[in-house]
């Protein structure tokens, strides 16, 4: 498996002078996802939890709905100049009866570490219909519980603590228990990894969980939440206008600027209990 961190020499300049020291950087490497040997997507990610990432990606693209929809996953056909496997190509076999993803000329699946839908050309192409409607979920959470979640997430961001260069996503219950936390250089990858964990754990649809992200709430993250049936998305930073619109359309509670006991409620206020 590729390295999660890489050490590089750095010259550090401060008011007290300069010095040279090794610095830990978050690793970033390409991952090519294939379905039955056919290239589907390339994303720049932090190595690790790649099988979860693949399951989460296929879930959020509407290709699969459960772990049983994937028959096998294996690394293949990617070696470095010494002949060693780089673990940067992952091939997935769909279970019998699961339709292959449709890839037409209007769709380019290449994504960077900062954007999960950059390859989709138009709004109609990026909006997907979820199999798991989150609007009727009775999930609720108190403001007191929400206030403690960012610190709880940060405590589990081990690679961020070493590098300062990773996003995080976590799934939590109504009492604030973090079920799973994943890190990645791409915020959409972090979400795909944690949703992939849920797929493999047999927990989808996630109608009884909330999703917490360490950065902003973009359209793509709201869509991923909707595709997994997540009724609440909380972000420590700002949402975009389209993220709010999509949350409203799908009956998702959207929280932004979650910092301590301060937060903004943009949609779905019925799930928030003050106190």
């Amino acid at each position: 498996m590729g390295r999660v961190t890489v050490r590089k020499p750095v010259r550090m300049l401060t008011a007290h002078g300069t010095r040279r020291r090794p610095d830990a950087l978050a690793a970033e490497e390409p991952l090519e996802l294939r379905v039955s040997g056919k290239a589907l997507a390339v994303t720049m990610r932090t190595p690790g939890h790649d099988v979860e990432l693949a399951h989460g990606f296929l879930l959020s693209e509407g290709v699969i709905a459960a772990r049983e929809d994937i028959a096998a996953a294996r690394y293949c056909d990617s070696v470095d100049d010494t002949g060693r496997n780089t673990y940067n190509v992952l091939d997935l076999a769909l279970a019998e009866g699961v339709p292959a993803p449709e890839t037409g000329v209007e769709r380019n699946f290449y994504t960077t570490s900062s954007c999960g839908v950059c390859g989709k050309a138009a709004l109609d192409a990026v909006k997907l219909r979820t199999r798991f409607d989150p609007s009727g979920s009775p999930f609720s959470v108190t403001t007191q519980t929400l206030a403690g979640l960012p610190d709880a997430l940060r405590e589990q961001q081990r690679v961020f603590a070493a590098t300062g260069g990773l996003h995080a996503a976590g799934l939590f219950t109504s009492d604030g228990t973090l079920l799973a936390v994943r890190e990645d250089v791409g915020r959409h990858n972090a979400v795909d990894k944690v949703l992939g964990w849920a797929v493999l754990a047999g927990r989808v649809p996630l109608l009884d969980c909330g999703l917490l992200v360490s950065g902003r709430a973009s359209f793509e993250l709201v869509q991923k939440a909707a595709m997994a049936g997540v009724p609440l998305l909380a972000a420590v930073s700002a949402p975009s206008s389209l993220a709010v619109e999509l949350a409203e359309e799908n009956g998702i509670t959207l929280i932004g600027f979650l910092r301590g006991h301060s937060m903004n409620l943009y949609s779905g206020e019925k799930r928030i209990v003050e106190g």
Side-chain angles (χ1 to χ4, degrees):
M1 180 60 62
R3 292 174 293 178
V4 177
T5 62
V6 177
R7 297 187 71 80
K8 294 289 186 180
V10 62
R11 183 184 179 193
M12 187 175 181
L13 286 73
T14 71
H16 304 290
T18 68
R19 65 187 179 96
R20 295 186 181 276
R21 64 176 181 84
D23 191 27
L25 305 177
E28 182 175 27
E29 296 181 11
L31 175 67
E32 179 180 327
L33 297 179
R34 298 178 183 177
V35 173
S36 300
K38 183 178 180 180
L40 175 68
V42 176
T43 187
M44 301 302 295
R45 96 303 189 194
T46 299
H49 299 107
D50 290 337
V51 174
E52 290 180 348
L53 190 159
H55 280 71
F57 177 80
L58 293 178
L59 172 72
S60 63
E61 291 295 328
V63 178
I64 67 170
R67 60 187 174 190
E68 293 79 14
D69 291 341
I70 299 290
R74 66 183 184 92
Y75 290 100
C76 61
D77 297 338
S78 179
V79 297
D80 60 19
D81 52 10
T82 68
R84 292 188 302 180
N85 197 330
T86 65
Y87 298 98
N88 285 337
V89 178
L90 185 64
D91 193 8
L92 299 105
L94 297 177
E96 185 176 355
V98 178
E102 297 179 4
T103 54
V105 294
E106 78 285 355
R107 181 69 189 275
N108 171 13
F109 277 102
Y110 174 77
T111 63
T112 70
S113 59
S114 62
C115 178
V117 294
C118 297
K120 299 185 182 180
L123 186 59
D124 287 343
V126 301
K127 280 193 174 182
L128 300 172
R129 185 177 298 277
T130 180
R131 310 182 199 200
F132 309 116
D133 181 10
S135 63
S137 167
F139 181 83
S140 65
V141 63
T142 68
T143 54
Q144 181 73 25
T145 296
L146 286 168
L149 283 171
D151 286 344
L153 184 72
R154 180 63 63 86
E155 288 176 4
Q156 295 196 37
Q157 291 181 249
R158 297 180 179 86
V159 184
F160 178 86
T163 66
L166 290 181
H167 295 279
L171 290 169
F172 63 91
T173 60
S174 60
D175 65 358
T177 300
L178 283 169
L179 299 175
V181 173
R182 296 292 183 264
E183 297 179 277
D184 199 275
V185 287
R187 60 181 177 270
H188 65 285
N189 288 335
V191 170
D192 279 343
K193 286 179 178 181
V194 81
L195 294 184
W197 170 88
V199 172
L200 291 167
R203 297 191 66 109
V204 174
L206 288 162
L207 298 172
D208 58 348
C209 290
L211 175 63
L212 174 67
V213 294
S214 61
R216 64 186 180 88
S218 61
F219 165 87
E220 59 180 322
L221 299 193
V222 174
Q223 178 166 272
K224 288 180 183 294
M227 295 300 286
V230 176
L232 184 150
L233 172 61
V236 300
S237 192
S240 67
S241 62
L242 199 56
V244 175
E245 291 176 19
L246 190 63
E248 291 174 339
E249 288 177 15
N250 285 276
I252 292 175
T253 299
L254 181 59
I255 300 167
F257 295 105
L258 176 57
R259 301 169 185 176
H261 290 273
S262 176
M263 65 197 76
N264 289 351
L265 306 182
Y266 293 92
S267 65
E269 296 183 22
K270 64 182 181 181
R271 295 193 178 94
I272 306 304
V273 179
E274 294 187 45

